[in-house]
Amino acid sequence: MTAPAFEEFLSLSVDLTAFEETDLLGTGLAHQYLAKVRDACGEEVVTALLDAYRAARAEATGDDGRPDPRRLDRALRHRVFSDERLGPVARNVIKLWYAGTWYGLPPEWTDCYGARPAAETSTVTAASYQEGLLWRAIAANPPGAKAPGYGSWAQPPRIDPRYRKGQGHDGTG
Amino acid sequence: MYVKFPEGATKRTNPEAAADVVYDAVIVGGGIAGAIIASRLGAAGKSVLILEAGPAEDLTLKGYEGYLDRFYSATSKDNQSPYPVNPNAPMPRGTDARRISPGTPDSSAYLVQSGPFATDTTYTRVLGGTTMHWEAKTPRMLPEDFRTRSLYGVGADWPLTYEDLSPYYNEAEHEIGVSADVEDQSYLGVEFDEGYVFPMKGLPLSYLDRMVAEDVDGMPVELDGVRRELRVRPYPQARNGIPNPGYVPRGAVSTYQVEVGGRCQGNNNCVPLCPVQAKYHAGKTLSLALQSPDVHLVGQAVAYRVHVDEHTRRVTEIEYRRYDKPDSTHFTTERARGRLFVLAANAVENPRLMLASGLPGSNGLVGRNFMDHAYLLAWALLPEVAGTFRGTNCTGGITDLRGGGFRGRQAAFSVDIHNDGWGWARGAPMTDLADLVDAGGRYGESLRQGLVDRVSRQLQLAFMVEVPANPSNRVTVDPAYTDHLGNMRPILTYDLPDYTMRGVAYARQLSKRIFARLGAEDHTRYDPDFWGYAVYGGEGYEIRGGNHLAGTHMMGSDPKTSVVDANQRSWEHSNLYLVGGGSMPTVSTSNVTLTIAALCLRSAAAILAQLDAESAPIRLTSTDTAQARPQEVVL
């Protein structure tokens, strides 16, 4: 795989998950996840996804060289999430990071763009379940791994106030 | 020290050589019931052969982690997900459950269900049995649970009282290692010996439990003219906590656990597998039993038939099929001979084996009176973030409605507060993730906020409702339904009586009151297409099974109305014991394992007494058995 594609996949993943690049790299799975998306959807789809993402960022970037969150959100919705081919793949990338599971793409997608054996629902590795970001988002451990320690459950959860209801910002990435 | 078997313990017995030995006792099943009896007989110097249907490997760190790895990699994380599929010793799986059309049994999975009510009840056929995946909640039964017929005109009375069983409860709590505090567990007539302490201190309630308790403690409930106040109470748990003086916790299999002492770490994965063996499983007792060189174990040995002497009605041998490999149907027929025989295979497999052997009992009660718990779930969102999905699967609940005069009219229940949110009811949190992303268009910060809002506020109450004995609820066999090895499969006929459904309906009303008191949004909605959908009084409910199998060889004081006596000894076959949940005349509102353990400790004493009383040589008269031989013990 080419290094720029990996860098862009990582950048896309940061925007899709709201976890920092170091968090994503810290899972040790970023390369495997990109490979998984390639196996499941094909090189062409991955290239198109990253192209659309690059275009969305460019569209949202102002004179200061940084993307404006509201404009980026709109550009992602228009160019990626609402796209017949790219939308389901982007949503799958989010779920891959959060759950550690590659979910089978919907039949309307495979009907149009082809079904590959690797596209079926599967865990990528035993570690991917344990590294699911979902658990970190809710300040819990993946059941069966990364135990927090005896009695920890009696304490309040350590959830950043920005993610608690009515206490964060408006929410968009 | 972490739990492991003496090296080679599972391979040291050659099945062919074992066939030439008359053991003091042959035990079918390497779960908690068989393990406890084997350990006590072995300690008394008796020779024992355990037949285990699943593969028998020495319990080691590596082997246990194989289960864990299979769990991590599984896309469906149901309660059998860590355990390999084995067509030669198949097991029911929760995901097998299907709606049953009247008159058409569902035979698509191992457990054939003829309905009318479908259940997702399961058990695990591996060494250690269902204690591998159990949640390990260990409440004692209430004194009134032993006399429900006399007190309430419901179910059957036990031939034992709470006082009779109490010393064995003490012993069982120490055998399996229970964490609880006496002051929390003394209620509704449950009393402890003076000065009694549980082996380990009670596990702390979860933050979620405490949040519920803030509003629920003191909530008044009036039932049949009696007012009571609810409170959130910790459950006793068979998992390692902080030991009380004099008790050394057993188990802990990871090297890390060895260093920190084997305490529960809050993995929130009791079901289907504790990753660090802080939770009790029968391997812990087996590892002790196998210390005795006279305790033998043969795996991949599926009992096929119980042979009985036609004159004496004593059991002469157990014929079993020993398969070469889990994925091959090739097997050899072997036999196990003993002075006494113990069926410890569980409340479905015990009657299955008896009935497949043509031994329904002269009163026809073998397999009848099948019981389980009927679970009703109710789920809501709390007004504030509770940090759901932390802790053991369940640390606390509401137990005030386990007993009382209302049981003359409706079923009692206990209530679990689930630390794993809506997982059981609706597959949370993965379903919430999929919904937020796919339907909600969430990503990034908005997704993180949505997850906290949707998942970390979840409260699920599980009402564990009693099901009284009913002879029509039963396990049968039919030669038309067999497994890969030619063993007849169990057929379950099961329905829920109105008595239970009245308890269910009351539970749902109570859940609404509790949610209102908490200011929680009730999200409970029962799906009419759900396989366990049951309608009562014009309302529909989703009912799930509890895997708390009981009743199929009920104990009693009269041979005409029961299968075994108070020692779990068969009335008809004087050298046969049928042990486990099947002996229980009521399930009431206790998870069954602690009571099974207590009953088996009691039976172990009776078995030892019988072995000593029958020390004279036995005459073997069955046609396919050679002449009587002196007892040989292979060391």
Side-chain angles (χ1 to χ4, degrees), chain B residues 32-273:
Chain B
I32 183 169
I36 283 181
I37 291 174
S39 71
R40 296 313 190 262
L41 299 191
K46 305 298 180 191
S47 61
V48 177
L49 175 64
I50 302 170
L51 301 176
E52 168 54 45
E57 300 291 338
D58 285 356
L59 182 68
T60 58
L61 186 59
K62 187 160 171 276
Y64 196 85
E65 289 186 345
Y67 284 152
L68 198 58
D69 225 43
R70 190 176 292 101
F71 164 77
Y72 288 146
S73 305
T75 49
S76 164
K77 300 215 177 333
D78 65 288
N79 52 19
Q80 304 285 40
S81 56
Y83 311 104
V85 170
N86 178 356
N88 292 328
M91 38 196 168
R93 197 162 184 169
T95 49
D96 296 339
R98 303 279 180 277
R99 201 81 193 262
I100 298 169
S101 317
T104 314
D106 174 17
S107 61
S108 58
Y110 173 63
L111 180 64
V112 180
Q113 298 205 36
S114 70
F117 185 73
T119 181
D120 61 340
T121 208
T122 64
Y123 48 88
T124 306
R125 294 175 83 188
V126 298
L127 198 58
T130 308
T131 55
M132 296 306 295
H133 95 236
W134 74 316
E135 192 199 307
K137 219 187 253 123
T138 53
R140 294 183 176 199
M141 294 187 77
L142 306 177
E144 64 179 62
D145 294 336
F146 295 84
R147 302 173 57 223
T148 60
R149 170 58 59 182
S150 308
L151 291 171
Y152 306 122
V154 177
D157 283 353
W158 291 55
L160 293 169
T161 63
Y162 175 82
E163 289 71 30
D164 292 331
L165 210 52
S166 183
Y168 299 100
Y169 272 139
N170 295 352
E171 193 179 344
E173 282 158 356
H174 282 74
E175 174 62 38
I176 68 186
V178 172
S179 293
D181 298 317
V182 164
E183 57 270 29
D184 290 328
Q185 305 307 327
S186 307
Y187 62 95
L188 290 172
V190 172
E191 289 176 3
F192 294 87
D193 295 340
E194 199 171 328
Y196 181 77
V197 284
F198 283 91
M200 293 167 280
K201 297 183 196 310
L203 265 65
L205 287 175
S206 68
Y207 184 75
L208 169 67
D209 292 328
R210 290 167 203 264
M211 195 174 264
V212 173
E214 268 181 39
D215 280 313
V216 164
D217 282 5
M219 175 175 167
V221 168
E222 196 170 310
L223 245 184
D224 277 9
V226 179
R227 186 178 187 275
R228 57 200 92 204
E229 289 187 355
L230 304 186
R231 65 164 276 202
V232 173
R233 187 186 297 276
Y235 276 109
Q237 313 219 19
R239 71 192 90 254
N240 291 341
I242 298 169
N244 280 313
Y247 182 80
V248 179
R250 290 209 304 240
V253 102
S254 80
T255 44
Y256 174 68
Q257 273 284 59
V258 173
E259 287 157 21
V260 299
R263 250 173 238 172
C264 170
Q265 306 170 349
N267 269 290
N268 195 10
N269 204 56
C270 318
V271 181
L273 184 70

Side-chain angles (χ1 to χ4, degrees), chain B residues 107 109-110 112 352 476-478 481-483 487-491:
Chain B
S107 61
Y110 173 63
V112 180
R352 186 203 67 71
T476 55
V477 294
D478 185 321
Y481 299 113
T482 54
D483 66 15
N487 267 303
M488 282 191 248
R489 290 155 54 190
I491 303 167

Side-chain angles (χ1 to χ4, degrees), chain B residues 315-360:
Chain B
V315 175
T316 53
E317 67 179 51
I318 289 183
E319 178 184 344
Y320 66 95
R321 296 187 164 181
R322 186 157 200 276
Y323 53 92
D324 298 345
K325 286 181 284 188
D327 56 358
S328 150
T329 54
H330 187 261
F331 66 87
T332 48
T333 294
E334 304 285 357
R335 60 181 182 157
R337 298 190 300 146
R339 298 166 66 199
L340 295 183
F341 295 83
V342 180
L343 303 190
N346 82 29
V348 170
E349 292 294 322
N350 274 356
R352 186 203 67 71
L353 177 60
M354 290 296 281
L355 295 169
S357 306
L359 301 170

Side-chain angles (χ1 to χ4, degrees), chain A residues 16 73 95 123 144 149 153 155 171, chain B residues 72-73 204 265 390 443-444 446:
Chain A
L16 293 184
D73 172 52
K95 288 182 283 182
T123 51
W153 54 84
Q155 304 301 318
Chain B
Y72 288 146
S73 305
Q265 306 170 349
R390 298 178 308 133
Y443 70 98
S446 153

